[in-house]
Structure formats: structure tokens, C-alpha cells
């Protein structure tokens, strides 16, 4: 039976029932590998509701995740150093087994209740749980946590409002991927803090580090461009912050962007597209990343305008980027946004 990707009343009821049931029990909140600001913030907010919760990460936090942790004093332990016997587990901000290294055996075999709360579409390697709340319409997992708090009639304090705002602002890319629901949530939360959005943004982004600036510049230095009619598809590679780099390329004029990063163990690719293309040309980088993820021996998924893939076949970097570019061209052709004549495969311009 396929898991839902847009939560409705039954999923809301199941999730809130699960949280009520676990409120006074020991609960382990598990955030994904290299946890970002949204994952850390969602876990911190949920831990405020639960009376006996521990937050753990399989490896390390991202830089924005660390800033949220430090700003709000969130205690997070490494899974390998965990000394805690929970009666329930909750995975947050991802459903992909690949993003929970070291936990994929522990979670399915856990002798207790399990849940997943996430805003990404389902990966091919999606984990299973007793309760699954997956809603890819939400801009962030923090947005989902707020909605659950509202259903639970749980009052949002100033601290929790600021934490949720940090996660929403980060994962919506400064509202680039926001919906009307997102703005309604943000308006409510802003009434509970004296901080402005600009101040919340500083919590997430901080002062851009040299590493951040270098990552962007490397992505620009290594980019390749394919033109499809009036559309520009840009692929590139950097040694860190591939998601930020992909976002930046869209802001600089790309219609689709695919940026790869090679780690010691895997190939990671972040994909973005101009949000207006989702409706006008059927753009869906989540489906592209699903296919690319399989090509590199892993999985992929996300949202129509923002997604990612990861897998162990590092040597397929160039071919994976070309595949992503080719699939983007096919989406544009299928929607009638470009003519169907010409080469099927992606071809790069001389620049």
C-alpha cells in the first residue's frame, strides 16, 4: 500500500493521536544526516511538546542546523553515543533510508511505536512506520509541526514561534517555495515574537562564511549551460553546499539547476527549477531526482521545484548531471513549452 504524499484528515488524526499517546513517554526524535535548519527546528519544537524527548542525529549537523541549535540551546546527541531507551521513535524531515545511516536497521526492528513526519515526497527507499504524516504541500516540516500543534491546541511560546519561523524561512528559501498556508502560519508566529523576519533570517544564515562564498563561486566556475528554446538548464559541481548553490543559480537566471557534490562515500545532487514552471510547463525536479537517484544507485525525491538525490556511484557524476538535464528538456517538450525537434540528449553551450 503506497504511503500518502498529501496528508488529509485521517493522517492528521493519526499523527495527533500518536503525539498525545507519547507525550509522557520516552521518545527518540531522529533527524536526518547533515540535518538542516528545518530538521533541527522541527525537532526542537516537537521536543517542547513531548515531556521526555531526546533528539539525535546519525552524523553531523549542517551549518544552518548548528546555528539554530546554538541560538536556541537545542540539545542534540549523536546516535552512536545514545544512552536512552525510548518507547517510541519519530523520524523528522525525511523518509529516505539513505539519509539515516546507522539507523535503518534500528528503526524497522524497533520494538515500539514509530512515526514519520515529513514534507518531502516519498523516496524509492522510503521507510515504513506505524504512523506516517507526509505532506509535500508544506514548505517545511516546521510548518507541519505548527499545524499539528494547532490541532492539539498546544500554545506556541515566543521561543517556539522563533524556532518554527527559522525552519520555515530556511526551507522555503525565503518564501520562494511558500504557499498561502505558509504565509498564514508565518503571520501567526510573527505575532508571538518581537523579532522581525530579517532577524530570524540572521539566525539561519549568519554572516556568510568564506566556505559559503567559495561554494557559490565554485558552482559558478564549473557550470555548464544547455539551452532549450527560451529556457536555460544549468548543471554544475561544488565541494560543499550543493543545495545552496542550486538555489543561487535559479536566482541568477537558470530555469532548471542541478548541482552535484561528491563526498567520501556518495554523490549528492540538488535540483531546483523556477517555481512558475511547475504550473506553466509541468516542471517537476522531484521526479527527475527519482530517476537520477536510481541511476547513481540510490534514491531521490522532494518537491516539484526543489529536490535532491544521493547514491554511491560517484563515477557517474557527469552522466547523472547530463541525465538530469535531458529529463528537464523532456519535461519542457512534453508540456509543449519547447519544440520537439532537435537532439533528445542534453547538449552544452560553448561559453
Amino acid at each position: 500500500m503506497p504511503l500518502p504524499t498529501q496528508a488529509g484528515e485521517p493522517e492528521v488524526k493519526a499523527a495527533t493521536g500518536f503525539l498525545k499517546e507519547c507525550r509522557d513517554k520516552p521518545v527518540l526524535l531522529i533527524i536526518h544526516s547533515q540535518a538542516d535548519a528545518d530538521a533541527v527546528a522541527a525537532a526542537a519544537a516537537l521536543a517542547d511538546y513531548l515531556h521526555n524527548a531526546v533528539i539525535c542525529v546519525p552524523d553531523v549537523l549542517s551549518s544552518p542546523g548548528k546555528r539554530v541549535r546554538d541560538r536556541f540551546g537545542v540539545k542534540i546527541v549523536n546516535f552512536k553515543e545514545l544512552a536512552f531507551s525510548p518507547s517510541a521513535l519519530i523520524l523528522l524531515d525525511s523518509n529516505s533510508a539513505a539519509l539515516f545511516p546507522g539507523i535503518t536497521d534500528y528503526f524497522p526492528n524497533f520494538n515500539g511505536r514509530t512515526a514519520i513526519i515529513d514534507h518531502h515526497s516519498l523516496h524509492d527507499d522510503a521507510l515504513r512506520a506505524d504512523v506516517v504524516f507526509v505532506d509535500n504541500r508544506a514548505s517545511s516540516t516546521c510548518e507541519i509541526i505548527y499545524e499539528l500543534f494547532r490541532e492539539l491546541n498546544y500554545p506556541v511560546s515566543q521561543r517556539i514561534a522563533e524556532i518554527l519561523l527559522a525552519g520555515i524561512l530556511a526551507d522555503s528559501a525565503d518564501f520562494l517555495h511558500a504557499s498561502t498556508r505558509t504565509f498564514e502560519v508565518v503571520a501567526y508566529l510573527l505575532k508571538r515574537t518581537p523579532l522581525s523576519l530579517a532577524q530570524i533570517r540572521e539566525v539561519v544564515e549568519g554572516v556568510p562564511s568564506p566556505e559559503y562564498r567559495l561554494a557559490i563561486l565554485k558552482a559558478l566556475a564549473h557550470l555548464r549551460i544547455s539551452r532549450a528554446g527560451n529556457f536555460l538548464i544549468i548543471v554544475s559541481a561544488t565541494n560543499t553546499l550543493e543545495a545552496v548553490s542550486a538555489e543561487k543559480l535559479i536566482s541568477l537566471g537558470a530555469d532548471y539547476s542541478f548541482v552535484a557534490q561528491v563526498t567520501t562515500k556518495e554523490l549528492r545532487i540538488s535540483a531546483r527549477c523556477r517555481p512558475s514552471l511547475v504550473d506553466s510547463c509541468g516542471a517537476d525536479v522531484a521526479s527527475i531526482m527519482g530517476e537520477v537517484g536510481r541511476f547513481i544507485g540510490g534514491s531521490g525525491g522532494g518537491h516539484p521545484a526543489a529536490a535532491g538525490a544521493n547514491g554511491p556511484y560517484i563515477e557517474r557524476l557527469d552522466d547523472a548531471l547530463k541525465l538530469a538535464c535531458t529529463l528537464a528538456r523532456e519535461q519542457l517538450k512534453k508540456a509543449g513549452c519547447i519544440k520537439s525537434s532537435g537532439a533528445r540528449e542534453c547538449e552544452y553551450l560553448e561559453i
Side-chain angles (χ1 to χ4, degrees), residues 154-198:
Y154 184 63
V156 175
S157 66
Q158 177 182 324
R159 175 177 178 270
I160 297 305
E162 292 169 2
I163 287 173
L164 292 174
L165 282 167
I168 292 170
L169 193 61
D171 241 40
S172 68
D174 289 348
F175 305 119
L176 188 64
H177 308 302
S179 65
T180 53
R181 180 173 73 165
T182 306
F183 287 109
E184 289 168 358
V185 172
V186 168
Y188 175 89
L189 295 174
L190 282 173
K191 294 176 183 177
R192 277 143 187 83
T193 172
L195 297 184
S196 66
L197 279 176

